[in-house]
Amino acid sequence: MRWMMSIGPLKDKVFDEARSLLSGQVKILELGAYAGYSSIYLAQTFGSDVQVTSIEVNPDYVRATRANLEHAGLTDRVTVIEGSSTEVIATLDDTFDLVFLDHWKDLYLGDLQLIEQRGLLRQGSVVVADNVGELFNAEPYLHYVRGCGRYTSENRSAPIEYTDMPDAVEISVYQGPT
Ligand code: MG
């Protein structure tokens, strides 16, 4: 069912926007799988050329995500790693074209900085941060991506999934180290 596969129609649009900025084989890093809805959406939207690495700390969510990926026939496109985002990022040495931040909001900034330090971004990598609306106290993260000089960053308003509560998504394009 469509609603099972979606993180919400407006946020889907942000993924479509991110997709328009990328081409060819796309490697995606997702922080926070929850039940795998966004992994599934990304794997379907980007098609067979995509490889999604999704980090999820909650074992129940890891199980749910793996079951949903199995059901959707997408296990070959998505790898779910169980563990804390910060610890797992410290072990990665790939380059990612798209990073989707959707885990604990107070980890966004530190995890993005760690991703940069480890060289996991290339010039043109797209970083999408969900839930950066006023309700979520995302100011430190927004201040960083808008002010550090290494991103061009834009904000898209969208309600929280399946509600009318205001929220926003920040889409930031990495310009390389400065
Ligand atoms: Mg979210």
Side-chain angles (χ1 to χ4, degrees):
M1 280 182 289
R2 176 68 185 169
W3 65 268
M4 283 283 291
M5 301 296 172
S6 175
I7 60 162
L10 290 173
K11 288 176 181 177
D12 291 354
K13 276 191 190 159
V14 176
F15 281 158
D16 292 342
E17 183 180 347
R19 187 184 177 212
S20 74
L21 298 169
L22 301 167
S23 60
Q25 280 209 322
V26 174
K27 285 188 180 170
I28 298 176
L29 176 62
E30 176 183 57
L31 305 187
Y34 183 47
Y37 303 150
S38 53
S39 320
I40 288 169
Y41 186 82
L42 288 165
Q44 287 180 331
T45 301
F46 282 83
S48 56
D49 269 354
V50 76
Q51 276 299 325
V52 181
T53 301
S54 186
I55 304 173
E56 173 57 57
V57 70
N58 182 318
D60 292 330
Y61 292 164
V62 169
R63 268 192 296 279
T65 296
R66 287 185 175 142
N68 286 329
L69 287 166
E70 189 86 34
H71 184 71
L74 293 168
T75 51
D76 57 332
R77 297 185 198 172
V78 184
T79 304
V80 185
I81 301 175
E82 182 177 329
S84 100
S85 55
T86 311
E87 284 174 22
V88 175
I89 290 165
T91 70
L92 298 176
D93 56 8
D94 222 331
T95 304
F96 294 95
D97 307 290
L98 174 59
V99 175
F100 180 48
L101 305 174
D102 194 25
H103 59 327
W104 292 103
K105 308 313 162 191
D106 54 4
L107 294 178
Y108 278 22
L109 178 54
D111 280 353
L112 181 63
Q113 288 172 326
L114 183 58
I115 284 167
E116 281 183 42
Q117 283 160 23
R118 293 198 50 81
L120 306 185
L121 301 179
R122 60 162 176 85
Q123 191 173 0
S125 290
V126 180
V127 180
V128 173
D130 193 17
N131 311 119
V132 295
E134 283 175 17
L135 289 172
F136 293 98
N137 188 29
E139 275 312 313
Y141 177 83
L142 296 176
H143 185 261
Y144 177 75
V145 290
R146 294 170 184 176
C148 74
R150 290 186 289 282
Y151 298 88
T152 55
S153 202
E154 293 186 36
N155 196 259
R156 302 279 178 261
S157 297
I160 296 175
E161 292 90 319
Y162 319 115
T163 74
D164 294 326
M165 293 159 81
D167 195 7
V169 178
E170 187 83 359
I171 179 166
S172 311
V173 180
Y174 188 60
Q175 304 299 308
T178 49

